[in-house]
Amino acid sequence: MLFDTHVHLNSHMYKDDLKKVIARALEAGVTKMAVIGFDAASNMRAIELAQQYACIYAVVGIHPSDARSATAASWPLLREQLQHPKVVALGECGFDYYHDTSFNDIQRAVFKQQLAIAKELDVPIVVHMRDSVQDTYDLLCQEGKGLTGVIHCYSGDVAMMHQFLERGFYIGLDGPVTFKNAHSVHEVAKAVPIERLVIETDGPYLTPSPYRGKRNEPAYVRYVAEKIAELKGMTYKEVCDITTQNGLNLYRIKES
């Protein structure tokens, strides 16, 4: 039993064979998937998929790279979408300084607005943090007090990881943990308490070995689990069972 807590099945890259992708995931033991939105259209598509498939849940938000698409109308719509019974979190939201730093102020304003909505509605958040570890942590301290969620695709060091854990966040690890030379990620995987770890694909991106370079999909989350089991000296089943429960706890999903 596996929970891929972060995948973009709403991406156009899955359009032609989405049913096959989901079937392969289920065959690989992936019993739950959280489909992440990044703008108005992808948020709606995530909700549509969650309505269509019992194994899928939706997360809705405005990605920092799409922050310039936010308008005054974005916030009432986001509040409305967060009321949907299969929407389990707000995200992904945060900072991304990798591609373009010319609109950092807009990213900050959009991130702050989403933190305020998450507090207002008492929902967990999915945080995107790329080349922005300190700014992300600082804003969460300033504007996100009381919020919980996950630092998706964690890219900081072990010391900063403990700071996020102290604030009640989970740590999300995905394909890079399987890369041979990803020493920093390996150290994080060893150090993070297993009860505060969730596993992700971030499909169609960040494909793990041995499929690196190809399109990623939820079925491949097992390679993330296998590598974490190896690094932590645990069995594959232990990692699967514990991280699945962590995913349920993170997204406040109560199984019937």
Side-chain angles (χ1 to χ4, degrees), residues 102-116:
S102 67
F103 63 108
N104 289 3
D105 288 347
I106 297 175
Q107 287 194 24
R108 175 175 292 273
V110 169
F111 191 11
K112 285 177 66 175
Q113 182 63 43
Q114 291 181 95
L115 293 177

Side-chain angles (χ1 to χ4, degrees), residues 176-242:
V177 78
T178 69
F179 300 167
K180 182 178 179 181
N181 294 321
H183 303 302
S184 177
V185 182
H186 295 167
E187 291 307 308
V188 168
K190 292 175 185 176
V192 62
I194 187 63
E195 67 273 9
R196 301 293 295 281
L197 173 67
V198 294
I199 55 175
E200 318 167 330
T201 56
D202 200 26
Y205 318 108
L206 298 179
T207 313
S209 299
Y211 295 101
R212 190 175 182 182
K214 299 181 180 180
R215 184 193 68 181
N216 200 2
E217 59 181 72
Y220 298 161
V221 78
R222 69 180 184 269
Y223 296 105
V224 178
E226 287 172 354
K227 185 62 179 182
I228 289 170
E230 174 192 324
L231 290 167
K232 296 185 87 62
M234 300 174 65
T235 68
Y236 174 70
K237 184 178 185 304
E238 286 173 335
V239 170
C240 291
D241 289 347
I242 295 171

